[in-house]
Amino acid sequence: MSDMPAHEVHAIAHQSLAIGGPAEVGFDKQSLPYVPGSTLRGALASVWIREHGKPTPGNPHREEFIELFERSVQFGPLLQEGTELVPLSAVFCKYPRTAECANWSIDAAVDPGAHLCPHCGHGTETGKGQLQGVRVQRTLRARLDVRGVPIDGHLFARHELERGLAYRGRLVGHHPWLAHERTIWLGGKTSTNGRTTIRIDPASVQVPAAPSRRPDGALVVRFTGPAVIVDDAGRPTLDPVDEIARVLGLDRSSVEDRGAWIRPDRVGGWHLASGLPKPAEIAIAQGSVVALHLQDEPDPARLRRLAVEGLGLRRTEGFGTVEVNPPPWRKAPPAAPVAPVRHPSVLDPLRERDLLDSEETLRWLLDRTRRVAVERVRNPRFSVEELFQERIPLLFDDAQTAAVWDLFTSDRPATAVPMLERELDLLTADREDPT
Ligand SMILES: [Zn+2]
């Protein structure tokens, strides 16, 4: 078995992303804070299916599909640029009282442990495997009927990953089909969410398998995504030590556990070729860490393979990505706010509030903006309220309502009409499906 090359994945989300996590009911829906490898793989597989049809037996391209999505490529998770995984081994002051408290942190997998904050003497908090610095927005989504009235039961708030942001990930393996930049839909293809362009660097990258950072030379393995690991009997296990010893070609008795920070998770998934759901499995959660003392020096090539190809089952789906001897986790200084890119346009306030993403909303806006523009010519002193039957605040959230109101009560509707027409053209052309 030869080493698989690793490639950087670059993605730009043009729309906000609603990435499915555990099924949720109710008014407030959450998105996962990142794009799992399985989601990326599914999105690329959908594009392939649009190009070549379903990969059923008899499809002449079926073998390519299986090669790409079930066999030779591992799709790692995509993280929003600027976000950081807080491993379970992270330790920091629970209630910082001073700047020293706020800045203090250790990584228990590398540094000597601390149960109390050395600056205030009070309790500590540990990492939960969460992602820090993720930019989300809460959006009120409504399905509108042709009259611009929300359809009953179709009004809901959703936390989505902000639009316009860059994502990075890693893909292991190679296939010519992946050489082209592509438009994909992450989290399902809808008119308002998910449109992303994705590019895979043709040049492979070196994945570091750094030397140990501990005084005792122990190996630290950090799980950067969930990992599905089974024991000899094929049962899921939360203890990865046997598997790590096996991958490194070491005798299990020569590997000593020097600490584990592990939390369980449940993962599902889809069998892409058949379109059937996979049963949920127990996994080692993202952010888990293990430290191992190795009696025998591992083969550097095997160590590198562990860093590149990861651990456990279902790695083609993006499970089991790890870092080998990563830099110890340190609490990041508070992030400076990022200034949004400005293109001055009448439609900017609408675009920023996701009002140009859905065909229904765009048609509604275009129709009402036309009415306001016409009315303004007829009677400059007319009142916008008289013009509409519906109450605008019921259709949109506060920020959206303010943006719509600003447009209607300004002198810009006449300018906005042709621009909205162009947006609608773009959106509908965008959504044309070749099938
Ligand atoms: Zn403190």
Side-chain angles (χ1 to χ4, degrees):
M1 182 174 143
S2 63
D3 282 352
M4 295 166 80
H7 298 270
E8 295 263 4
V9 181
H10 305 267
I12 303 278
H14 303 289
Q15 298 177 322
S16 51
L17 303 182
I19 306 298
E24 277 187 84
V25 286
F27 185 72
D28 254 306
K29 294 176 197 298
Q30 305 283 339
S31 166
L32 281 178
Y34 73 108
V35 181
S38 51
T39 303
L40 171 61
R41 169 175 167 266
L44 283 163
S46 297
V47 173
W48 190 97
I49 287 168
R50 264 195 287 154
E51 288 176 11
H52 299 296
K54 289 215 164 77
T56 43
N59 183 328
H61 299 283
R62 178 178 156 86
E63 194 50 36
E64 177 179 84
F65 183 90
I66 290 169
E67 196 60 35
L68 256 166
F69 297 111
E70 310 276 7
R71 194 174 291 148
S72 63
V73 180
Q74 301 178 8
F75 299 89
L78 291 178
L79 298 194
Q80 213 178 68
E81 225 153 67
T83 61
E84 187 209 18
L85 177 66
V86 185
L88 272 71
S89 56
V91 181
F92 45 97
C93 180
K94 187 163 188 170
Y95 300 111
R97 289 155 178 84
T98 63
E100 284 82 14
C101 277
N103 292 327
W104 173 77
S105 66
I106 61 167
D107 187 331
V110 180
D111 309 310
H115 299 289
L116 297 174
C117 169
H119 298 287
C120 66
H122 289 90
T124 54
E125 181 73 280
T126 54
K128 307 273 184 289
Q130 73 272 37
L131 285 164
Q132 220 167 39
V134 180
R135 293 171 64 189
V136 291
Q137 59 189 40
R138 183 173 176 276
T139 310
L140 200 61
R141 294 284 186 203
R143 286 192 65 83
L144 308 178
D145 69 14
V146 285
R147 293 164 300 148
V149 178
I151 303 166
D152 268 355
H154 284 87
L155 189 68
F156 54 94
R158 199 160 54 184
H159 296 257
E160 298 170 349
L161 303 177
E162 263 183 50
R163 62 186 292 145
L165 298 178
Y167 289 74
R168 265 167 181 271
R170 195 196 295 154
L171 181 145
V172 177
H174 179 70
H175 192 284
W177 190 83
L178 296 167
H180 304 282
E181 180 169 311
R182 281 196 159 78
T183 298
I184 60 175
W185 274 262
L186 292 170
K189 186 177 180 183
T190 72
S191 59
T192 54
N193 292 101
R195 186 160 58 83
T196 302
T197 46
I198 185 151
R199 183 173 62 79
I200 294 150
D201 255 356
S204 62
V205 285
Q206 289 301 311
V207 177
S212 174
R213 298 169 195 268
R214 287 172 49 122
D216 64 355
L219 171 80
V220 171
V221 176
R222 189 190 284 167
F223 292 86
T224 54
V228 180
I229 292 180
V230 293
D231 63 17
D232 289 343
R235 290 173 304 218
T237 171
L238 295 179
D239 179 357
V241 180
D242 286 3
E243 181 67 9
I244 292 172
R246 199 185 60 73
V247 169
L248 295 180
L250 299 172
D251 187 47
R252 176 63 183 86
S253 62
S254 72
V255 178
E256 187 193 315
D257 195 336
R258 288 277 167 97
W261 298 261
I262 288 176
R263 202 166 55 87
D265 192 6
R266 286 183 86 80
V267 298
W270 291 84
H271 188 259
L272 289 178
S274 65
L276 294 172
K278 292 187 176 180
E281 289 188 273
I282 300 290
I284 292 179
Q286 183 175 45
S288 297
V289 186
V290 64
L292 302 170
H293 184 263
L294 314 175
Q295 252 170 47
D296 312 312
E297 198 63 33
D299 172 8
R302 281 178 177 265
L303 205 54
R304 211 166 39 244
R305 190 174 295 165
L306 170 64
V308 174
E309 298 174 27
L311 270 181
L313 305 181
R314 298 176 61 180
R315 280 180 284 153
T316 56
E317 293 168 68
F319 292 114
T321 52
V322 300
E323 286 175 317
V324 172
N325 294 324
W329 181 81
R330 292 291 178 257
K331 200 171 169 183
V338 183
V341 187
R342 304 288 310 175
H343 307 281
S345 147
V346 176
L347 299 189
D348 271 357
L350 303 171
R351 191 186 310 282
E352 279 164 23
R353 288 164 182 90
D354 293 329
L355 287 162
L356 306 182
D357 292 339
S358 108
E359 194 179 329
E360 291 107 317
T361 313
L362 207 44
R363 284 193 192 286
W364 182 91
L365 269 174
L366 182 58
D367 175 67
R368 302 317 191 267
T369 309
R370 272 196 194 118
R371 276 199 226 170
V372 175
V374 169
E375 208 54 36
R376 186 148 287 146
V377 175
R378 234 168 22 202
N379 169 20
R381 272 195 291 276
F382 87 107
S383 144
V384 173
E385 286 90 341
E386 294 166 14
L387 213 55
F388 302 137
Q389 300 280 310
E390 71 272 32
R391 291 187 52 216
I392 295 170
L394 282 181
L395 305 183
F396 307 114
D397 64 28
D398 290 351
Q400 291 172 326
T401 304
V404 170
W405 213 247
D406 277 353
L407 174 65
F408 289 168
T409 53
S410 72
D411 55 3
R412 292 163 296 171
T415 324
V417 167
M419 298 172 81
L420 285 168
E421 285 168 346
R422 206 154 47 236
E423 286 293 323
L424 188 60
D425 282 351
L426 281 173
L427 188 76
T428 44
D430 210 37
R431 291 175 56 197
E432 255 169 38
D433 212 314
T435 51

